[in-house]
Amino acid sequence: MYVCSCFGITEEQVKEHAAAGACTPRQIASASKAGTDCGSCVRRIQGILGRGQCPRRAALDRGEPPLTTQQPSTATNPEPAEVAAMAAQAPAPAAAARVAA
């Protein structure tokens, strides 16, 4: 079942990201872009994640790394390094406003 219609993110993909360490809607958005367009799916994502029930939280408390080496199967979603590279190339909001003026 689709959670985010804007980016075609399924409930299973959200659960895979959560299992890989994304424990908040913001982390899910960073991993998959779900919730970053119209925002109507954010409450659904919160419901899937639950309150304090992150599968990796206990592992994090034991000092394990925040993310596993196995990434969720999201062929259409960019890797975090790609997202960071795209963000670095994007003009700053103030610079974009000066160009538009």
Side-chain angles (χ1 to χ4, degrees):
M1 175 199 271
Y2 284 102
V3 172
C4 176
S5 299
C6 297
F7 295 105
I9 305 301
T10 64
E11 186 172 334
E12 185 60 32
Q13 287 175 305
V14 171
K15 289 178 181 179
E16 287 176 1
H17 286 298
C23 297
T24 66
R26 184 172 289 200
Q27 291 171 337
I28 295 293
S30 179
S32 68
K33 298 198 299 186
T36 61
D37 194 26
C38 76
S40 66
C41 60
V42 174
R43 288 185 189 257
R44 175 88 174 135
I45 292 169
Q46 288 172 328
I48 293 169
L49 295 175
R51 187 169 275 208
Q53 298 176 0
C54 178
R56 294 285 299 151
R57 193 167 311 278
L60 292 171
D61 290 342
R62 290 190 304 267
E64 293 181 18
L67 296 175
T68 60
T69 55
Q70 179 183 3
Q71 295 294 318
S73 59
T74 55
T76 60
N77 296 327
E79 293 293 319
E82 294 174 25
V83 172
M86 288 186 283
Q89 293 174 354
R98 285 193 302 267
V99 172

